[in-house]
Amino acid sequence: MIQRIQSVYLAIVAILSTVSLFSTIGKFVAGGEIVSTFSNFSFSADKEPFSQVESCGPWALGGLLLIVLVLSLLTIGLFNHRMKQVRLTIFSSILLVGYIAVYAFFSWVFQGKLQAVAAPDAEVSFQLCATAVYPVVCLILNIMAIHRIRKDEKLVRSLDRIR
């Protein structure tokens, strides 16, 4: 049911995951200009000599975020099964923590690769985009949803005791 606040939290998680899935999540800058962009499914370096950098494809990021999106939508539909909702939301939160760790790893690897082909005096730096923060916001919303689902379960069990 969409009237429940945890359903709203999970819907916002789904929306933020979708937006983050299809947008740029980071940029690499050298000498004041953008030399490479980083998204959930691709890493592209267009400027010379950075275009020589081979990308191992950060498809794992896109896959993790896609699973989080599907789990959020599935969890909204399971409003009658609160304990399943809790388990799926916890699993989604674990995937989001994994996403953040993989994101940091890929950023570090790609920055090292770009630095290796850069001029010796050029410093390659990484800049976060606003959409890179969305998975962290999704993680916070998942935790809030878990809290509210458990509160609903506690209320239902207390009503069953009264009968």
Side-chain angles (χ1 to χ4, degrees):
M1 292 293 227
I2 199 67
Q3 300 98 320
R4 298 167 55 216
I5 190 70
Q6 58 266 28
S7 297
V8 174
Y9 293 153
L10 293 168
I12 294 171
V13 168
I15 291 168
L16 291 178
S17 297
T18 304
V19 169
S20 183
L21 192 62
F22 298 110
S23 58
T24 302
I25 56 175
K27 298 174 186 173
F28 292 93
V29 178
E33 66 181 61
I34 298 172
V35 296
S36 177
T37 57
F38 181 33
S39 70
N40 285 305
F41 293 107
S42 68
F43 171 77
S44 61
D46 300 329
K47 304 220 184 283
E48 286 297 327
F50 302 104
S51 60
Q52 301 167 7
V53 173
E54 184 178 320
S55 170
C56 57
W59 55 268
L61 289 172
L64 284 172
L65 213 50
L66 193 61
I67 293 170
V68 168
L69 169 65
V70 170
L71 283 176
S72 296
L73 294 175
L74 181 66
T75 305
I76 292 171
L78 291 173
F79 59 88
N80 284 334
H81 307 282
R82 285 170 294 282
M83 293 318 292
K84 284 184 183 177
Q85 271 189 320
V86 168
R87 285 186 206 110
L88 287 176
T89 308
I90 288 172
F91 183 63
S92 175
S93 298
I94 292 169
L95 289 177
L96 283 168
V97 169
Y99 174 89
I100 294 166
V102 171
Y103 176 73
F105 174 75
F106 274 125
S107 301
W108 178 68
V109 167
F110 291 145
Q111 184 175 4
K113 286 183 177 184
L114 291 172
Q115 189 66 45
V117 298
D121 60 339
E123 181 68 30
V124 177
S125 62
F126 180 72
Q127 291 181 345
L128 286 174
C129 291
T131 54
V133 180
Y134 289 173
V136 176
V137 174
C138 289
L139 181 62
I140 294 167
L141 288 170
N142 269 347
I143 292 168
M144 291 168 59
I146 291 168
H147 175 71
R148 294 301 298 216
I149 295 167
R150 285 186 175 156
K151 188 174 180 182
D152 276 0
E153 181 64 19
K154 187 176 175 183
L155 178 66
V156 168
R157 287 191 183 188
S158 72
L159 291 177
D160 285 344
R161 257 194 320 266
I162 292 174
R163 286 188 217 173

